[in-house]
Amino acid sequence: MTPGHSPARTTTAGAELEELLAAPLGLRERKKLKTRRAIRAAAFGLFSEQGYEATTVDQIAAKAEVSPSTFFRYFPTKEDLVISDDYDPLMEVSFRARPADEPLIESVRRAMIEPLRQILAAEREEVLLRMQLYRDVPAIRARALVEMQRTGEMMCGLLAERTGLPADGLELRALVAAVLAASSEAVQFWAEHGGEDELEDLLNRAISSLGTSHL
Amino acid sequence: MTPGHSPARTTTAGAELEELLAAPLGLRERKKLKTRRAIRAAAFGLFSEQGYEATTVDQIAAKAEVSPSTFFRYFPTKEDLVISDDYDPLMEVSFRARPADEPLIESVRRAMIEPLRQILAAEREEVLLRMQLYRDVPAIRARALVEMQRTGEMMCGLLAERTGLPADGLELRALVAAVLAASSEAVQFWAEHGGEDELEDLLNRAISSLGTSHL
Amino acid sequence: MTPGHSPARTTTAGAELEELLAAPLGLRERKKLKTRRAIRAAAFGLFSEQGYEATTVDQIAAKAEVSPSTFFRYFPTKEDLVISDDYDPLMEVSFRARPADEPLIESVRRAMIEPLRQILAAEREEVLLRMQLYRDVPAIRARALVEMQRTGEMMCGLLAERTGLPADGLELRALVAAVLAASSEAVQFWAEHGGEDELEDLLNRAISSLGTSHL
Amino acid sequence: MTPGHSPARTTTAGAELEELLAAPLGLRERKKLKTRRAIRAAAFGLFSEQGYEATTVDQIAAKAEVSPSTFFRYFPTKEDLVISDDYDPLMEVSFRARPADEPLIESVRRAMIEPLRQILAAEREEVLLRMQLYRDVPAIRARALVEMQRTGEMMCGLLAERTGLPADGLELRALVAAVLAASSEAVQFWAEHGGEDELEDLLNRAISSLGTSHL
DNA sequence: ACAGCCGGGACGTCCCGTTGAT
DNA sequence: ATCAACGGGACGTCCCGGCTGT
């Protein structure tokens, strides 16, 4: 739900996910992961210095001490640097773990917060930087928003299962879109203030403000 | 709030707005407007045939019987084809025209619907096509979503004036984001079903579904 | 011999020259001259702010409150802004006015200094700026150097008349090229130091340093 | 000292230099060198047929059987085709090899002649063509003259070391500029006469004509 | 598996010439 | 005479895919 949380699609991204989920990897895989991280680190450094558009793939590759060819092996596209992550599957797992009789909105809220906690614990700084990029770089914000829609579709499916409502019905879609949008604002707000507030509180406030729409 | 409703930024875009608002323009300007439309029409046609990325600026220019240079005079970027429109200022006017004691959400709803009606009356087909592009073409969806954020910021300003709440406070931002997201789903839904439903009804349903977040 | 002193080739340039030579012009012509100056002024301003390459003809035209078309009527090329001036004919007149029995090098020196004095008196600031551009902007320096060669050819002709040596003989060409190069260094040196030294002294020093080639 | 003798700045240019200095290169590098030469050859051919401005990069690439992209990998700019060479470092080496008690002007003369001999031996025809371009094509002459200034700065440094005079003093600058200009005329003269004279003699005559400035 | 090199093509910027309206 | 609009074309930058050698 934070921008750019897309389902894992490539094996390498899958690897990163699994690492999060703690399975210890083979030596080969660990090396690849390291390269992947190195490239991303280099890229983010350059982005924050020069901006996104002004940074070329070649520069990134050079700074990561990798050949451009290799860059493209790890990230099929320059944009993928910023948007590929593994939030969605984590959230799905998290949602299915909620008791079926819990109020829906509560399940959603918890399903979103759990994986966030994990990710923040592991790479809080990088998430903050990513959020700044997301604010400042149109192309990235763009991609991220698209990924958010993907997340929305997945959530519609999950909620449909639970409620029996049609997954592509207007009501569910509108509700999910709204919750995601509000949550995204919370995360953005959090990043803007340097992460000093408790993200969990912000999420709660944002989501409950939907109820105030009767104002 | 439909994707890509941005404030008028260029004089020509301003011209387009004024046309909507009915002021008959000088002969010179009418011609420019025609060219502008011709280019957009050509572009949208090609987009729906070949997809967005696969369509080159040269093709568009050729089909519009214009030189590539001229294309760039009218649209500084290929993406600008899709995202530049004049919804925002219309909506702002519309919102300010609502009585101050009306329930907030109602004012917002009406402020969004009024200009939509005008636009649909004038160019219903193009809006439908635009929505399809918005669904199908990542790059366009991307830009459009970004523009929606801009709309959001404007709305926050308006609501802040009315309510006295801070425009950049979490609550307002979350609420606005949610309403926009839900409305966007409504418009999208409408387009998916070929425009057969009443858009006004859909908007109402989508917005009121936010109240069901207590599910 | 300062960079960019070329023979008058266009009627308008001729006009500027004549003005220097004091003939009062018709009202029509004065207006054109004013425009010409306005454009150049605008251009030089932008050049010193943004650099030469980064300044577009359109910007110059806009700042001079002239249409781009008009710009090109006055200056066939962007580069012509910087290089067109009218030093050569002044110098030729000046040289022919020297007594025939004066030592050659002395005639040359005097022929160069006289017109310089006039120009500096009239537009000292602009000459200084021009010199800076000449230092800093490769394309301009380039053009200027080329013009200097033209000046060289003219001087070869003059010296050939006086000495009876062939105008395209190596000796004369080498001598003239050397004198011009040394003088150019003097002017450049003068500009680098903000014009505080007496240009005349510098020229004398530069030219006489050729004699030290026996070092 | 022929126009356009600039310091080696890219590795490939460095490679070219080293080749001149006889070190046999790896297979990879030889291929690149061949491509580089092929491009230049194609370019010079077209230049002499159609002129410089009228020749497009695409044409050059086509004739060299290379893609335009590749062209720009080898020469960042069309102009770089003409001006990039490796005379300066050769000359520097050559100068430093002169005995310190030799008359200055003599050291300079020898320092210029030695590398010229080498280059002429290796690619006499190309140098001749280059000189013609330098005469006939303003843009090229322009760039070349600029490079000559660079050479001048380097020489000032060298002479300053030897003489103890300040490298940026007017006297040294004027002297160097004059010697270079005279030498340039000699080379030019040589090229105009189809290379039939001994370049070495011409250089001697040109330089010694500086002494006649007392005429 | 990774590095370097190349090709092909899109984009967007700029220059300058031309045309028709004022 | 000036302007606004357009055309046409060059340049140079970048992305990404493929191929070759190690």
Side-chain angles (χ1 to χ4, degrees), chain A residues 27-168:
Chain A
L27 198 105
R28 260 267 210 322
E29 300 302 315
R30 292 203 86 77
K31 170 117 190 266
K32 287 177 88 168
L33 220 82
K34 221 175 113 189
T35 307
R36 192 180 174 80
R37 284 196 200 290
I39 293 175
R40 235 200 304 243
F44 277 58
L46 290 168
F47 289 165
S48 59
E49 286 168 25
Q50 319 173 340
Y52 176 80
E53 306 272 4
T55 304
T56 75
V57 170
D58 284 42
Q59 286 171 14
I60 298 171
K63 185 161 178 187
E65 297 187 304
V66 173
S67 90
S69 340
T70 302
F71 174 92
F72 284 109
R73 239 190 298 287
Y74 283 89
F75 299 92
T77 277
K78 194 175 139 191
E79 288 180 357
D80 284 287
L81 274 172
V82 189
I83 53 93
S84 70
D85 70 335
D86 309 290
Y87 185 83
D88 279 20
L90 291 176
M91 196 185 108
E92 179 165 357
V93 169
S94 196
F95 181 84
R96 293 193 191 282
R98 306 303 312 168
D101 56 350
E102 189 176 44
L104 199 56
I105 198 86
E106 180 64 11
S107 292
V108 170
R109 200 177 55 75
R110 301 291 289 267
M112 290 194 312
I113 282 178
E114 273 319 310
L116 257 187
R117 264 210 267 260
Q118 288 185 35
I119 289 177
L120 284 180
E123 39 194 36
R124 182 187 161 99
E125 285 314 310
E126 192 186 310
V127 172
L128 269 171
L129 174 49
R130 209 183 273 213
M131 289 300 134
Q132 286 168 24
L133 283 180
Y134 164 71
R135 263 205 89 69
D136 300 336
V137 183
I140 291 182
R141 182 169 43 200
R143 283 291 303 260
L145 286 164
V146 171
E147 294 305 318
M148 196 170 84
Q149 289 205 319
R150 204 189 299 270
T151 302
E153 285 167 23
M154 184 210 60
M155 281 181 61
C156 279
L158 291 176
L159 297 206
E161 281 181 25
R162 256 273 272 276
T163 61
L165 292 172
D168 58 350

Side-chain angles (χ1 to χ4, degrees), chain B residues 45-162:
Chain B
L46 290 168
F47 289 166
S48 59
E49 286 167 26
Q50 318 174 342
Y52 175 81
E53 307 270 7
T55 303
T56 75
V57 170
D58 284 38
Q59 287 171 16
I60 298 172
K63 184 160 178 186
E65 298 188 300
V66 170
S67 87
S69 333
T70 299
F71 174 93
F72 283 109
R73 258 189 274 278
Y74 281 87
F75 299 93
T77 279
K78 195 175 135 191
E79 287 182 356
D80 283 287
L81 270 174
V82 188
I83 52 93
S84 69
D85 70 319
D86 308 290
Y87 185 84
D88 278 22
L90 291 176
M91 195 185 107
E92 180 164 355
V93 169
S94 196
F95 180 85
R96 292 192 191 283
R98 307 300 313 166
D101 57 348
E102 188 177 45
L104 198 57
I105 197 88
E106 180 63 11
S107 292
V108 170
R109 200 177 56 75
R110 300 291 288 266
M112 291 193 312
I113 280 178
E114 270 322 308
L116 256 188
R117 262 211 268 260
Q118 289 184 37
I119 290 177
L120 283 181
E123 40 194 38
R124 184 188 159 97
E125 285 314 309
E126 190 186 314
V127 172
L128 269 173
L129 175 48
R130 209 184 269 216
M131 288 303 133
Q132 285 168 25
L133 283 180
Y134 164 70
R135 262 204 89 66
D136 301 337
V137 183
I140 291 182
R141 182 169 44 202
R143 282 292 301 263
L145 285 164
V146 170
E147 294 303 318
M148 196 171 82
Q149 290 205 321
R150 204 189 298 269
T151 301
E153 284 168 25
M154 182 211 60
M155 281 182 58
C156 280
L158 291 177
L159 297 207
E161 280 181 27
R162 245 289 265 267

Side-chain angles (χ1 to χ4, degrees), chain D residues 60-107:
Chain D
I60 298 172
K63 184 159 179 187
E65 299 187 301
V66 171
S67 86
S69 332
T70 300
F71 175 92
F72 283 109
R73 258 189 273 280
Y74 282 88
F75 300 93
T77 279
K78 195 173 133 192
E79 288 182 356
D80 283 286
L81 270 173
V82 189
I83 53 93
S84 70
D85 70 316
D86 307 290
Y87 185 84
D88 278 21
L90 290 176
M91 195 185 107
E92 178 164 358
V93 170
S94 195
F95 180 85
R96 291 191 191 283
R98 307 302 312 168
D101 57 347
E102 188 176 45
L104 198 57
I105 197 87
E106 180 63 12
S107 291

Side-chain angles (χ1 to χ4, degrees), chain C residues 38-57:
Chain C
I39 293 175
R40 235 202 304 245
F44 276 58
L46 290 169
F47 289 166
S48 61
E49 285 167 26
Q50 319 174 341
Y52 175 80
E53 306 272 4
T55 302
T56 75
V57 170

Side-chain angles (χ1 to χ4, degrees), chain C residues 55-129:
Chain C
T55 302
T56 75
V57 170
D58 284 42
Q59 286 171 15
I60 298 171
K63 186 162 178 185
E65 297 187 303
V66 171
S67 91
S69 340
T70 301
F71 173 93
F72 284 110
R73 237 191 300 289
Y74 283 89
F75 298 93
T77 277
K78 193 173 139 192
E79 288 181 356
D80 284 288
L81 273 172
V82 189
I83 53 93
S84 69
D85 69 337
D86 308 291
Y87 184 83
D88 279 21
L90 291 176
M91 194 183 110
E92 181 165 354
V93 169
S94 196
F95 181 85
R96 292 191 191 283
R98 306 304 311 169
D101 58 347
E102 189 177 44
L104 198 58
I105 198 85
E106 180 63 13
S107 293
V108 170
R109 200 177 56 77
R110 301 291 287 267
M112 292 194 312
I113 281 179
E114 271 322 309
L116 255 188
R117 264 211 266 259
Q118 291 184 35
I119 289 177
L120 283 181
E123 41 194 35
R124 182 188 160 97
E125 284 315 309
E126 193 186 310
V127 172
L128 269 173
L129 174 48

